């Protein structure tokens, strides 16, 4: 393994101007960081998951037990289901707005305030 | 809805991944699946209920082109969120594939060099990397196909090999071989008497689509070319470890050193859309030159835009503006008949067909692109007999 002064650092940004999508690009930046954070959280949860599986399988565990644990396709199915649950939580705001668009015609909130303030 | 989980076949040329490195890759795969299955369908809803009515109110007619759909969709909050997340997932995919390779880059090079080889590898350090590859890093792989960090470097190949599996969410099979598998299956079914003995795969990358020809046409001499050395080194080690002899060489498909009339079959898989207007003509002309009379040229791509609804075209075209695929749009709008004719294919009518995917094991999402490459269940094949 290369270490120290010889350590190789790969290029991490693809050449080419990155597009931004929201009217304020800081929203894109924030979203990117949120997703990275979500990823790291998921990685951590996966590690715990392995820990629990190993502990259950062996009665006790070590770090190398975790490193060498071989995931089966069905282990991964279970994990993918948990990822879906996390996504549902994290993208709630976006999916929620879609539900409005699909099923409800949300009244203007100000109009509701007007209504409750002035109905009596 | 979810896409069945099956892990990539781990061959000797792939890097070892630690527990957390692998978990990070699996997360990206799940992220992409979520975009495809949960957020992609909402694009159509947002278009029908929000974006299109806005356009109609202003113009008293429906949008008719990619640009017109774009005018209103790019303002739509769901499209913005989906695009921003899709772009982010692409960046996370490359990063997750890079991490184990960066950690072990020297070991990987040594391991590839030490793999007992079959077939051959011929590199050309003086080969000029075409400007359509150096201008931007295609589909956002940092460093593109060609960058080399150390001597005998395989890093870009090892990263690409793993990233393709994550990108396709496994829907191209455990060896990422679906394009080659599907084309070989189609050839055997439609042309049972065609028995190619010398085959050339252009723009082979790490050989995902090349190997099906080596295993499918036993005894055939299979050649594969690419401009990028790290792809070819990884491809040679990979093919050798999988027991399939292929002759790899570093050449530009626009102009090779193969003899005239020397191949029965010349193929490429998702190469053409990564070239340019000038280069694509050169590539087709080169196919004509190296083919034997009666030989067959086949290029596997995603379907042309002709006949597609404006909204579908806009979504399908996402990569051209958002994923560093500068020739994507133009390549899907070409007059393919004229392209073949002008390159010398004049005795036969060009083939332009949809070939069913050979990979049926998984539930497919049945969306094409929009972040779901390989999910369509079909491939577009363009070609011609010489
Ligand atoms: C999308 S990848 C191809 C994937 C591969 N055919 C497969 O099916 O797995 C495109 C490849 O074409 C190569 N390429 C691009 N232009 C080329 C050219 N003019 N001549 C040879 N190779 C080229 C790139 O270096 C890259 O490896």
């Amino acid at each position: 393994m290369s270490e120290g002064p010889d350590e190789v650092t790969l290029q991490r940004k693809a050449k080419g101007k990155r597009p931004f999508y929201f009217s304020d690009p800081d929203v894109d930046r924030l979203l990117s960081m949120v997703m990275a954070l979500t990823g790291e959280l998921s990685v951590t949860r996966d590690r715990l998951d392995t820990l629990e599986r190993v502990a259950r399988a062996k009665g006790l565990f070590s770090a190398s037990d975790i490193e060498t644990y071989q995931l089966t396709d069905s282990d991964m199915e279970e994990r993918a289901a948990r990822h879906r649950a996390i996504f549902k939580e994290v993208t709630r705001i976006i999916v929620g707005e879609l539900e409005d668009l699909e099923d409800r015609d949300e009244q203007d909130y100000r109009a509701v305030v007007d209504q409750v303030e002035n109905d009596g | 809805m979810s896409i069945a989980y099956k892990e990539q076949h781990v061959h000797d040329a792939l890097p070892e991944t630690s527990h957390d490195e692998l978990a990070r890759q699996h997360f990206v795969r799940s992220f992409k699946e979520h975009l495809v299955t949960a957020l992609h369908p909402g694009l159509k809803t947002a278009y029908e209920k929000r974006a299109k009515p806005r356009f109609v109110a202003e113009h008293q007619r429906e949008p008719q082109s990619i640009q017109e759909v774009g005018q209103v969709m790019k303002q739509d909050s769901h499209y913005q969120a989906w695009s921003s997340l899709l772009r982010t997932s692409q960046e996370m995919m490359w990063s997750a594939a890079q991490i184990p390779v960066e950690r072990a880059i020297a070991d990987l090079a040594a391991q590839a060099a030490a793999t007992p080889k079959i077939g051959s590898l011929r590199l050309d350090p003086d080969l000029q990397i075409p400007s359509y590859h150096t201008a931007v890093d295609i589909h956002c792989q940092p460093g593109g196909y060609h960058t080399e960090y150390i001597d005998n470097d395989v890093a870009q190949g090892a990263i690409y090999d793993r990233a393709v599996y994550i990108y396709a969410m496994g829907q191209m099979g455990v060896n990422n071989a679906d394009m080659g598998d599907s084309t070989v299956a189609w050839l055997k079914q439609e042309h049972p008497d065609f028995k190619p003995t010398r085959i050339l795969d252009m723009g082979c990358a790490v050989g995902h689509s090349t190997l099906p020809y080596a295993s499918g046409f036993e005894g055939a001499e299979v050649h594969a070319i690419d401009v990028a050395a790290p792809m070819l080194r990884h491809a040679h080690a990979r093919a050798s470890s999988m027991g399939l002899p292929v002759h790899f060489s570093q050449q530009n498909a626009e102009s090779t050193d193969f003899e005239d009339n020397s191949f029965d079959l010349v193929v490429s898989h998702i190469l053409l859309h990564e070239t340019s207007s000038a280069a694509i003509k050169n590539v087709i002309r080169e196919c004509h030159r190296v083919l034997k009379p009666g030989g067959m040229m086949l290029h596997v791509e995603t379907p042309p835009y002709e006949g597609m609804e404006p909204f579908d075209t806009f979504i399908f075209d996402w990569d051209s503006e958002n994923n560093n695929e500068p020739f994507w749009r133009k390549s899907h709008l070409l007059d393919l008949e004229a392209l073949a004719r002008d390159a010398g294919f004049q005795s036969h009518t060009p083939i332009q067909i949809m070939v069913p995917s050979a990979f049926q094991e998984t539930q497919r999402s049945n969306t094409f692109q929009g972040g779901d490459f390989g999910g369509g269940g079909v491939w577009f094949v363009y070609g011609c007999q010489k």
Side-chain angles (χ1 to χ4, degrees):
Chain A
M1 200 196 286
S2 42
E3 270 169 356
D6 293 335
E7 201 173 303
V8 177
T9 308
L10 302 187
Q11 175 190 331
R12 298 308 291 273
K13 157 75 175 66
K15 185 176 176 188
K17 195 171 180 305
R18 189 201 197 275
F20 291 91
Y21 302 93
F22 295 100
S23 53
D24 181 348
D26 282 342
V27 176
D28 294 85
R29 293 191 183 97
L30 197 60
L31 200 53
S32 168
M33 289 190 261
V34 167
M35 290 319 299
L37 194 60
T38 311
E40 295 311 308
L41 182 64
S42 174
V43 167
T44 310
R45 188 62 189 77
D46 282 355
R47 190 165 183 99
L48 270 175
D49 176 58
T50 305
L51 212 78
E52 287 160 9
R53 288 172 197 276
V54 174
R56 203 178 311 127
K58 299 217 172 194
L60 80 168
F61 54 79
S62 68
S64 83
D65 285 337
I66 290 171
E67 286 303 336
T68 53
Y69 182 75
Q70 291 294 320
L71 282 170
T72 66
D73 289 342
S74 80
D75 287 346
M76 285 186 280
E77 287 285 4
E78 285 180 43
R79 287 191 173 186
R82 195 173 327 99
H83 294 171
R84 282 194 286 279
I86 292 174
F87 279 121
K88 211 170 144 194
E89 194 51 31
V90 173
T91 60
R92 200 171 1 90
I93 180 138
I94 296 160
V95 177
E97 282 182 21
L98 263 185
E99 280 175 17
D100 270 346
L101 185 63
E102 270 164 2
D103 309 330
R104 289 183 288 270
D105 279 314
E106 242 4 306
Q107 296 185 55
D108 176 42
Y109 185 72
R110 196 57 240 173
V112 178
V113 174
D114 280 342
Q115 195 189 322
V116 297
E117 282 182 354
N118 302 314
D119 64 353
Chain B
M1 195 206 131
S2 68
I3 300 162
Y5 217 120
K6 183 135 187 71
E7 188 49 284
Q8 182 175 9
H9 166 67
V10 181
H11 57 76
D12 295 346
L14 281 173
E16 279 181 17
T17 39
S18 72
H19 177 278
D20 289 6
E21 287 166 349
L22 192 59
R24 199 171 284 110
Q25 295 177 351
H26 288 158
F27 174 80
V28 175
R29 185 247 181 238
S30 294
F31 183 8
K32 284 182 57 67
E33 177 183 315
H34 181 73
L35 289 173
V36 168
T37 58
L39 298 187
H40 186 107
L43 292 168
K44 183 81 178 167
T45 316
Y47 178 66
E48 293 297 340
K49 295 218 176 176
R50 231 163 26 198
K52 191 164 80 177
R54 248 204 333 264
F55 188 95
V56 172
E58 201 180 319
H59 298 90
Q60 286 76 53
R61 61 171 179 82
E62 296 194 358
Q64 281 158 9
S65 63
I66 295 175
Q67 289 77 8
E68 288 184 351
V69 175
Q71 259 174 44
V72 279
M73 276 305 270
K74 286 177 185 175
Q75 309 297 316
D76 188 89
S77 59
H78 186 66
Y79 173 78
Q80 291 172 347
W82 173 78
S83 286
S84 190
L85 289 168
L86 186 55
R87 172 74 187 209
T88 297
S89 75
Q90 185 75 358
E91 290 163 353
M92 287 176 76
M93 174 190 81
W94 290 118
S95 184
Q98 281 184 312
I99 290 167
V101 172
E102 185 174 55
R103 175 172 56 70
I105 188 167
D107 296 344
L108 272 174
Q111 188 182 318
T115 304
K117 300 299 189 322
I118 52 176
S120 62
L121 172 64
R122 185 157 57 94
L123 295 179
D124 174 9
D126 297 327
L127 184 82
Q128 177 113 29
I129 304 297
S131 59
Y132 44 85
H133 277 256
T134 54
V136 294
D137 289 338
I138 302 258
H139 45 56
C140 296
Q141 176 172 4
Y145 295 103
H146 54 277
T147 297
E148 295 180 65
Y149 297 96
I150 58 172
D151 286 348
N152 297 317
D153 195 9
V154 294
Q156 295 305 84
I159 292 164
Y160 180 81
D161 192 347
R162 182 60 181 155
V164 168
Y165 196 78
I166 301 170
Y167 187 65
M169 293 176 274
Q171 294 180 103
M172 296 212 292
V174 294
N175 291 315
N176 288 323
D178 191 48
M179 289 184 281
D181 283 341
S182 305
T183 312
V184 170
W186 175 82
L187 264 173
K188 290 191 166 184
Q189 174 150 351
E190 297 297 315
H191 301 273
D193 300 330
F194 181 60
K195 299 253 174 353
T197 57
R198 207 157 176 263
I199 301 170
L200 173 62
D201 182 18
M202 292 174 153
C204 62
V206 298
H208 288 152
S209 305
T210 316
L211 299 193
Y213 296 87
S215 56
F217 295 107
E218 226 176 295
E221 185 180 305
V222 178
H223 292 258
I225 61 170
D226 201 284
V227 288
M231 294 289 145
L232 292 164
R233 289 191 196 101
H234 180 86
H236 190 212
R238 176 179 182 269
S240 296
S241 81
M242 291 168 77
L244 291 165
V246 174
H247 302 286
F248 293 98
S249 57
Q250 187 178 12
Q251 301 198 59
N252 187 328
E254 296 179 62
S255 162
T256 69
D257 63 9
F258 297 116
E259 285 179 18
D260 294 0
N261 311 318
S262 58
F263 288 96
D264 304 290
L265 177 62
V266 178
V267 295
S268 84
H269 311 80
I270 55 171
L271 162 72
L272 298 183
H273 77 267
E274 293 184 5
T275 61
S276 74
S277 287
I280 197 171
K281 291 181 191 152
N282 295 338
V283 170
I284 306 299
R285 204 178 305 121
E286 187 66 0
C287 290
H288 187 266
R289 183 184 72 75
V290 301
L291 273 178
K292 297 175 189 169
M296 190 91 87
M297 160 180 89
L298 297 173
H299 300 284
V300 181
E301 283 288 333
T302 53
Y305 291 168
E306 201 182 331
M308 259 185 217
E309 288 295 314
F311 170 78
D312 295 333
T313 320
F314 170 74
I315 299 299
F316 190 51
D317 190 63
W318 190 86
D319 285 69
S320 71
E321 284 183 27
N322 300 291
N323 196 21
N324 281 354
E325 290 279 7
F327 191 50
W328 179 276
R329 181 177 303 167
K330 182 80 184 287
S331 73
H332 284 83
L333 294 166
L334 292 175
D335 180 345
L336 296 175
E337 281 222 34
L339 184 67
R341 203 178 331 106
D342 296 347
F345 289 94
Q346 288 168 355
S347 328
H348 297 271
T349 311
I351 305 162
Q352 298 189 52
I353 47 161
M354 301 302 286
V355 166
S357 162
F359 184 65
Q360 306 286 3
E361 307 155 41
T362 62
Q363 242 178 303
R364 281 178 192 280
S365 47
N366 287 313
T367 53
F368 224 129
Q369 285 300 101
D372 186 19
F373 191 80
V378 286
W379 298 105
F380 174 70
V381 174
Y382 162 61
C384 201
Q385 197 178 1
K386 177 168 171 182

